[in-house]
Amino acid sequence: PPAELLSFLRDHEVDYRLIHHPVVYTAQELAAVLGIKGRQFAKVVVLAEGAALKLAVLSADCRIDFTRLPGHRLASEPEITKVFVPYAVGAIPPFGELFGVPTLLDELFPTKEPIAFEAGTHADAIKINGADFLKLARPQLASFADKVT
């Protein structure tokens, strides 16, 4: 994983567990590989509102309802790669502060239990305490996701 992510966690004195895992490409698959429930895995989606980017964080077992985020769209791959270097597209950690962008957190996301997220590559994940995640991410809470059934 990128060194700046690990430094960010250490600098904020957060206990974390780095997990190397087989390459998978969906948040639900990764939750299964990590042996956690989909709701505990932070899926990070890069959104654009005009030219401004932001991170939307939701559980792996949810999807974004764009009718509840008027004016937002999925960011394009060129928009993402320009801002989120050296992180792999689809493996961006849920901390907008690292990139100078805001973080939105869906209100369904569980923050009172351990969570996991991609660590900048498709083969590394990090597990941390939900309270530490909130402290680091300092997200804006919103209601924008629906559980996938």
Side-chain angles (χ1 to χ4, degrees):
E4 77 175 341
L5 173 59
L6 300 181
S7 293
F8 179 71
L9 296 171
R10 281 192 302 268
D11 290 350
H12 288 86
E13 299 177 347
V14 169
D15 288 329
Y16 66 90
R17 187 166 149 229
L18 178 63
I19 303 158
H20 191 71
H21 60 80
V23 174
V24 294
Y25 290 98
T26 72
Q28 280 283 63
E29 289 173 326
L30 185 47
V33 166
L34 297 175
I36 62 172
K37 296 178 177 122
R39 72 166 199 262
Q40 293 175 272
F41 188 83
K43 176 167 57 176
V44 178
V45 179
V46 182
L47 301 178
E49 185 179 23
L53 299 182
K54 57 182 73 169
L55 299 183
V57 180
L58 60 157
S59 293
D61 61 354
C62 292
R63 68 172 166 247
I64 293 176
D65 175 357
F66 279 95
T67 65
R68 289 156 50 194
L69 289 172
H72 291 79
R73 62 176 170 79
L74 290 174
S76 68
E77 192 162 329
E79 287 173 311
I80 294 168
T81 55
K82 188 165 54 175
V83 173
F84 299 96
V85 174
Y87 298 84
V89 173
I92 295 165
F95 305 112
E97 182 181 322
L98 282 172
F99 314 102
V101 302
T103 303
L104 293 177
L105 177 65
D106 185 71
E107 63 185 14
L108 295 176
F109 190 77
T111 55
K112 293 186 178 1
E113 54 191 276
I115 64 137
F117 53 88
E118 288 275 32
T121 75
H122 290 288
D124 295 295
I126 288 177
K127 279 188 181 180
I128 65 172
N129 175 302
D132 286 335
F133 163 70
L134 278 181
K135 181 177 78 173
L136 292 180
R138 295 194 312 242
Q140 175 187 339
L141 287 176
S143 176
F144 59 84
D146 291 317
K147 197 164 174 64
V148 176
T149 52

